[in-house]
Amino acid sequence: MKAGGPELEWLDGGITAVPGIFAAGLHGGIKPTPARDLALVYSSVPTTAAGVFTTNRIQGAPVKLSRERLRAGVAQAILASSGCSNVCTGEQGLRDAREMTDVVARELRIPEARVLVASTGIIGRYLPMDRIRPALPKLVKALSPQGSRHAAEGIMTTDSHPKEAALRVEIGGRPITLGAISKGTGMIHPMMATMFCFVATDLAVARDALQAAIRRAVTGSFNRISVDGDQSTSDTVVILANGLAENRPLTRGDRRLRAFQQALDALTQRLAVMQVRDGEGATCVIDVQVRGAKSRRDAEVAARAIANSNLFKTAMAGRDPNWGRVMAALGSCGVAVAEDRVGVWYGDEQVAAGGKPRDGVRWDRVKAELAKPDIVVALDLGLGTGHDHVWTCDLTADYVKINTGTS
Amino acid sequence: MKAGGPELEWLDGGITAVPGIFAAGLHGGIKPTPARDLALVYSSVPTTAAGVFTTNRIQGAPVKLSRERLRAGVAQAILASSGCSNVCTGEQGLRDAREMTDVVARELRIPEARVLVASTGIIGRYLPMDRIRPALPKLVKALSPQGSRHAAEGIMTTDSHPKEAALRVEIGGRPITLGAISKGTGMIHPMMATMFCFVATDLAVARDALQAAIRRAVTGSFNRISVDGDQSTSDTVVILANGLAENRPLTRGDRRLRAFQQALDALTQRLAVMQVRDGEGATCVIDVQVRGAKSRRDAEVAARAIANSNLFKTAMAGRDPNWGRVMAALGSCGVAVAEDRVGVWYGDEQVAAGGKPRDGVRWDRVKAELAKPDIVVALDLGLGTGHDHVWTCDLTADYVKINTGTS
């Protein structure tokens, strides 16, 4: 996205666009409907693996198990399920998560320690193992080099459609492919959300460089989106690098890492914005941009406060340029603010200057900005050079309806 | 409310139940409808006065002016308006606020420094002074010892009904009256909200003792409610003590202050719960109680996190005992949590123990609790003796509808 970056060629398909990556998704009896609720991603060869998980202090059994297994830095498969998160399920939950990976490992004839697991859905329920157990061999049999979409469907909860993306980028003179699937449209908050993103690449790269790259990509993508301010107990981002591109492996400090980082950033940001656009009940994506803050951290805190304000988000649902609600959220978030220096813009049109209404606002331009599917709301605090941004969506009555259903 | 407290006799009426207190409310042309939008509270004699204001860094002109005037500790009238908050209005806003108090002071023949002012409504608009100016003398003429309800109506914005309360309590052998009006059902958050509460009493009490008492009362009432997690730029709580009870004045350290504090706490808590019950779109009041935390502060942070979780609040709108959302909010708020020690209750019925589903839950009892207008959701963190609570309400599609209307 930045000037001077490598050329990115977007591809059709998702995670299986990557050589050696197979995927599958099917209905295993977790969801009450016949929708797919199991997904599997598999690499034909062992991969270097890295991941980022929820910072919630309550963490699901799958998060605990995958985090532990990722310490070795090697993985070959990711098993995911939707409909029941296997969170707040104690020892039984850990046994269930382990058994799921055992069955899959046996079918794939790989060590169980190379199978990661992720589950999303309702908290505080045990997995229906009687139904899952016999479905897993079928899931392994369904693995296909065109299986990305089925896997993307298998991890959906309140998503209205599956999310996948893939791109090709030249790194050190070689074409490298990155592909991913993701999910998550509610409980989306600062530090990730009930969201999964599974990324694969055929790049050969060292473990620590891969871990640093995925962490940095998450910071600029899934940690910059907000749907409802709630944080999940199951957030999982995993990247598998199988090295089938046979490039000279990238290690920390390698200059080729810059192009890889930019490609990974672009891929994860595309999926992150897809998630916000599909946010529960959302009708628009809003990029809340704060500049002129005392520090980058201040800009981030302010952008998050506005992006999470129910009053700002409901105003946006009504396409109402009620910048007073922006000011109220700004003033309450604790960062340095000089009221008489604050400017507010909708798109390119400034509506407030020096902390008060600006004369001669061209409201037709504000209206045109608000009619777009991607709206920019920008603030200049007039105090320094700190800037940051957060993507959010509007808050509609549909969000409430989606989340009110009895469990 | 606590055992051993003084006997409280609840009275009909509101702030004008207090001897020497007059009030009025009428339509002055701020709101587009013919609803009352101006309110005045007046004491026939000068009063000791104290107040608590919003902590938002963006503060309305009325807040700035009243805060300054309260430094003297003497006041005799509170002028309030609704429909336009006079926030983010720069120097013009300050001039307007001052002019409003000047007109009222002249009509009342008191020094303008004794008139406090408070405005609530949309941010970033100038007050329609051309319409307000001629309405103010009429407002003064309308002052009446039965005017509490009209004044309570004059401060309403999205409130569905006016809020007032009064009580009598014996302090040092003398009957003392306290009366109040309040407003505010949205932008209600931790540190107060778009909320006003004006309290009057005929007690004779020193300024510093009064200030300490109102601050303590606010901590346990308006700072323990949450509707939408948004914080206003105009929050104002003011107490006027006119001394007409002719008691020996209470000063700091006086043992009689205990009874006064308990009466003031009961009055402000009653109004605070009224506000939550009238929360925008709300259908129930939920008392989120946290005990067993490592510290009181941890308990407060946890209770607030749950009370502000959109997912918890939408679940409650569906009367869904989805305690997983309680756990997710708890885990994300940063306080010390040991997952395997957490218990969750709806009313008296425990649904989770040791961080997982409890066997033998009597779901009919949970259902009965959820059918009440006042629901208790309690957590025991099992780590210490810290406890606190926050009142909140559910989040319904009506909240969104109320806040989506274009301004």
Side-chain angles (χ1 to χ4, degrees), chain B residues 94-179:
Chain B
L94 270 174
R95 275 196 297 274
D96 291 345
R98 218 169 260 132
E99 186 185 350
M100 283 171 71
T101 64
D102 285 0
V103 174
V104 164
R106 205 162 51 228
E107 295 288 323
L108 288 171
R109 296 190 180 83
I110 60 175
E112 65 190 59
R114 280 196 212 149
V115 183
L116 307 176
V117 61
S119 296
T120 176
I122 189 163
I123 298 172
R125 298 274 175 83
Y126 296 107
L127 286 167
M129 290 302 292
D130 288 349
R131 293 200 289 278
I132 293 174
R133 223 173 267 121
L136 292 175
K138 290 179 207 158
L139 184 66
V140 172
K141 279 195 191 76
L143 281 171
S144 139
Q146 280 86 40
S148 177
R149 176 160 291 256
H150 283 184
E153 287 172 6
I155 57 177
M156 283 165 57
T157 48
T158 52
D159 304 66
S160 71
H161 58 83
K163 293 166 190 70
E164 47 180 4
L167 60 78
R168 194 168 292 134
V169 60
E170 202 165 282
I171 296 178
R174 266 174 202 270
I176 299 290
T177 306
L178 286 91

Side-chain angles (χ1 to χ4, degrees), chain B residues 11 27 29 59 66 85 87 98 113 133 144 166 237-238 245 285 309:
Chain B
L11 307 176
H27 176 67
Q59 305 198 332
S66 293
S85 67
V87 175
R98 218 169 260 132
R133 223 173 267 121
S144 139
V237 177
V238 169
V285 172
S309 159

Side-chain angles (χ1 to χ4, degrees), chain B residues 7 15 21 30 53 70 78 117 129 134 187 264 268 278 283-284 383 400:
Chain B
E7 205 170 309
I15 198 161
I21 299 295
I30 309 174
F53 298 90
L70 261 183
I78 307 167
V117 61
M129 290 302 292
M187 252 199 194
L264 187 58
T268 52
D278 196 24
T283 66
C284 62
L383 295 174
V400 177

